[in-house]
C-alpha cells in the first residue's frame, strides 16, 4: 500500500514537471504562425506557463503545427515527429491543421490533407482562422491539464482508426 | 611534410522545417569549414494551389482566400486583386474608399515591418528588442481588429471600395498609436539601432549590391537602400496616395557599409516612422462621402484581362486577372509576389557568409515561402 502511494506521488510529480516545462518546436506553414509569435510576445507571454520555443526537435516535448498540411511536406513532418523523444505531444493550430479548413482536399484537390491527424497523432486542436493568442493559450493550458492526468480526450482513438499505420510506408497514399 | 589537404566541402541540408529558416523551404548548403561555398533553395512545400481555388469562387468570394497567402500583410493581396477587378469592370473608386484602403495598407506595412525587425533582432540576439517591437505590433493589430474585427485575415476590401465605413473613434486611435510609435522609434534608436554591440553584429554582413538588385529584379527594402524613389506608392496613381508623399525622401547613409544588414534595418525602421507620419496626416483629412462605388453590389465584369501592381511591405506585388463572359468569378488569376525575387537572390546572397550569420541574413531580407508557393 505504501509503495503504491509513493509510485503515484512520483508520477504526479513527473506529470507536474512535464506540464510546466513544455519546450515546443514550431512548424509554420500558414498564417497562424504570426499569432503564435504574438503569443510569445510580452502581452500574452507564453513563458510564464513554462512554454518556450526550442530550435531542435530532438530536445522538444511539444510539436506545434499551423497551416495547411500539404502532401509534399507531410513526410517531412512525420520525420520531425519521429525525432522527438517520448513523451511527446502535438498541437494543431488553425482550421487548416485541424481539419483542412478552407484549404482542405475538397478545395485543393490532391495537394493538401484533411488535417494533421492523418500524419501524426494530435493531442490538442485549436480551431480558428487564425485563432487568437488567447485561444492558443487556452489550448496550451488544456494540454497541461491533460499531461497532469486530467484527461479530456483519448489519444488512442486515432491509432485504432488506423490513421498512423497508413503512414509507415514510404510511398505517400492519399486515401 | 606536405601541405595539409583541403577537405572536400561538407554538404548540409536544412529544412524544410528548421528554426534557422524563416519559412518552409529547403536550403542545400555546401560548406568549406564554416563558410558557405554554395547554396541552393528549394521551395514549394506549402503549395495549396490558391490561384486554382480562386477560379472557382465568385468575385467577392475570392477575397477571404487572398488573405491567407500573406499572413502579415493580408490587405496587399486583396488590394491588388480589387484594383485589377475595378479596372476590368471600370469602377470609379470614391475618395473615401481610397483613403480607408491606404490607412489599412499603411497599418499592415507597419505591422509587417515590425515583425520583420523583431525577427532580425531575435536572430542577432537582441531579445529585449524583440519583445518591444512585438509590443508595438500588438497596438497596430488592435487597430486592425477595431476596424475589421480580425487581426490578420482582414477580408475588408471589396471590388469597388471597402466593406464598412471606419468605426467610430478609429481615426482618433490611429492618431494616438502613430504618436506613440513615433516616440518609441526614438527609444529603439537609443536602445537597439545605434547600440555599439548591435551595430558591430550587423554591419558589413549580408551586403546586397546594386548589381544584385538589378540582376534579380529585387524590389522593396533591398532596392530602396540605393534609391528611395523605387516605391509604387509614389509613382502609381492607382493606389490613391494623393498628396501623401513625404517632402523629403533623402537617402539614408549607412554607418559602415551600404546595403548591409544594419543599413536595411535602419531603412526598415525609417519606413515604419514614414508610414506613421502618413497615417497621422491621412487620419486628419480622410475625405467624406461614400465608401463603396456605385454598381459594385451587382458587379458586371466584361470579358477581358487586367493587371495591377501594389507595393507590399516586401516589395512589388503584381497580379493579372482574366474574366470570361457568363462566369460569376475570375476565370484566371496569377500573382507575381515580391518574395520570388528575394528567393532567386538567396544563392548569390549567401555565398561567402559564415554559418553563424545564416539566420541573420535570411531574416533580414524577410522571405516568405507561402507567398511564393501560394
Amino acid at each position: 500500500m505504501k509503495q503504491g502511494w509513493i509510485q503515484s506521488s512520483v508520477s504526479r510529480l513527473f506529470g507536474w514537471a512535464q506540464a510546466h516545462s513544455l519546450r515546443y518546436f514550431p512548424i509554420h506553414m500558414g498564417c497562424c504562425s504570426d499569432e503564435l509569435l504574438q503569443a510569445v510576445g510580452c502581452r500574452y507571454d507564453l513563458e510564464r506557463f513554462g512554454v518556450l520555443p526550442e530550435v531542435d526537435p530532438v530536445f522538444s516535448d511539444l510539436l506545434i503545427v499551423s497551416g495547411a498540411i500539404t502532401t509534399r511536406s507531410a513526410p517531412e513532418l512525420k520525420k520531425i515527429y519521429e525525432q522527438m523523444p517520448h513523451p511527446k505531444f502535438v498541437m494543431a493550430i488553425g482550421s487548416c491543421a485541424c481539419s483542412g479548413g478552407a484549404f482542405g482536399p475538397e478545395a485543393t484537390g490532391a495537394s493538401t490533407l484533411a488535417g494533421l491527424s492523418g500524419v501524426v497523432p494530435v493531442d490538442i486542436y485549436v480551431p480558428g482562422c487564425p485563432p487568437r493568442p488567447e485561444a492558443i493559450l487556452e489550448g496550451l493550458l488544456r494540454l497541461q491539464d491533460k499531461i497532469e492526468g486530467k484527461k479530456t480526450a483519448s489519444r488512442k482513438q486515432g491509432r485504432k482508426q488506423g490513421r498512423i499505420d497508413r503512414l509507415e510506408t514510404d510511398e505517400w497514399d492519399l486515401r | 611534410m606536405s601541405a595539409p589537404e583541403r577537405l572536400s566541402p561538407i554538404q548540409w541540408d536544412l529544412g524544410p522545417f528548421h528554426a534557422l529558416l524563416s519559412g518552409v523551404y529547403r536550403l542545400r548548403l555546401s560548406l568549406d569549414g564554416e563558410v558557405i561555398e554554395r547554396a541552393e533553395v528549394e521551395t514549394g512545400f506549402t503549395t495549396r494551389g490558391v490561384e486554382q481555388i480562386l477560379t472557382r469562387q465568385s468575385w467577392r468570394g475570392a477575397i477571404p482566400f487572398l488573405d491567407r497567402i500573406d499572413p502579415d500583410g493580408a490587405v496587399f493581396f486583396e488590394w491588388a486583386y480589387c484594383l485589377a477587378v475595378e479596372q476590368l469592370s471600370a469602377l470609379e473608386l470614391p475618395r473615401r474608399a481610397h483613403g480607408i484602403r491606404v490607412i489599412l495598407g499603411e497599418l499592415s506595412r507597419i505591422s509587417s515591418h515590425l515583425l520583420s525587425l523583431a525577427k532580425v533582432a531575435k536572430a542577432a540576439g537582441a531579445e529585449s528588442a524583440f519583445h518591444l517591437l512585438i509590443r508595438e505590433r500588438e497596438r497596430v493589430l488592435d487597430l486592425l481588429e477595431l476596424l475589421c474585427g480580425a487581426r490578420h485575415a482582414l477580408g475588408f476590401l471589396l471590388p469597388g471600395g471597402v466593406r464598412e465605413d471606419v468605426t467610430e473613434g478609429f481615426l482618433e486611435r490611429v492618431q494616438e498609436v502613430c504618436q506613440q510609435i513615433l516616440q518609441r522609434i526614438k527609444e529603439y534608436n537609443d536602445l537597439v539601432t545605434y547600440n555599439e554591440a548591435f551595430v558591430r553584429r550587423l554591419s558589413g554582413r549580408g551586403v546586397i549590391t546594386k548589381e544584385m538588385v538589378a540582376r534579380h529584379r529585387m524590389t522593396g527594402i533591398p532596392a530602396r537602400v540605393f534609391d528611395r524613389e523605387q516605391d509604387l506608392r509614389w509613382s502609381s496613381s492607382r493606389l490613391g496616395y494623393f498628396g501623401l508623399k513625404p517632402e523629403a525622401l533623402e537617402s539614408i547613409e549607412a554607418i559602415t557599409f551600404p546595403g548591409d544588414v544594419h543599413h536595411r534595418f535602419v531603412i526598415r525602421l525609417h519606413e515604419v516612422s514614414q508610414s506613421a507620419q502618413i497615417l497621422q496626416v491621412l487620419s486628419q483629412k480622410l475625405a467624406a462621402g461614400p465608401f463603396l462605388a456605385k454598381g459594385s453590389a451587382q458587379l458586371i465584369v466584361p470579358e477581358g484581362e487586367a493587371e495591377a501592381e501594389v507595393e507590399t511591405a516586401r516589395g512589388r506585388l503584381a497580379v493579372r486577372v482574366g474574366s470570361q463572359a457568363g462566369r460569376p468569378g475570375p476565370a484566371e488569376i496569377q500573382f507575381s509576389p515580391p518574395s520570388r525575387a528575394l528567393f532567386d537572390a538567396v544563392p548569390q546572397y549567401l555565398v561567402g557568409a559564415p554559418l553563424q550569420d545564416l539566420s541573420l541574413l535570411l531574416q533580414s531580407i524577410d522571405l516568405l515561402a507561402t507567398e511564393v508557393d501560394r
Side-chain angles (χ1 to χ4, degrees), chain B residues 134-147:
Chain B
I134 289 291
R135 178 186 65 177
E136 242 39 70
R137 189 160 182 260
E138 279 289 346
R139 300 289 307 242
V140 178
L141 293 181
D142 282 349
L143 284 178
L144 292 177
E145 195 183 350
L146 182 65
L147 183 60

Side-chain angles (χ1 to χ4, degrees), chain B residues 153-209:
Chain B
L154 308 177
F156 198 68
L157 268 54
L158 289 178
V162 290
R163 206 172 282 272
E164 298 275 340
D165 205 351
V166 288
T167 332
E168 200 185 327
F170 174 74
L171 296 174
E172 290 79 23
R173 293 216 190 159
V174 169
Q175 289 269 349
E176 207 178 284
V177 170
C178 289
Q179 184 82 37
Q180 199 182 28
I181 285 175
L182 289 173
Q183 278 174 2
R184 289 273 163 80
I185 282 172
K186 290 194 189 95
E187 260 176 53
Y188 298 151
N189 283 342
D190 293 341
L191 192 69
V192 193
T193 320
Y194 298 109
N195 184 329
E196 177 81 19
F198 193 72
V199 172
R200 281 196 190 182
R201 178 77 185 88
L202 262 61
S203 59
R205 288 174 164 85
V207 178
I208 292 183
T209 55

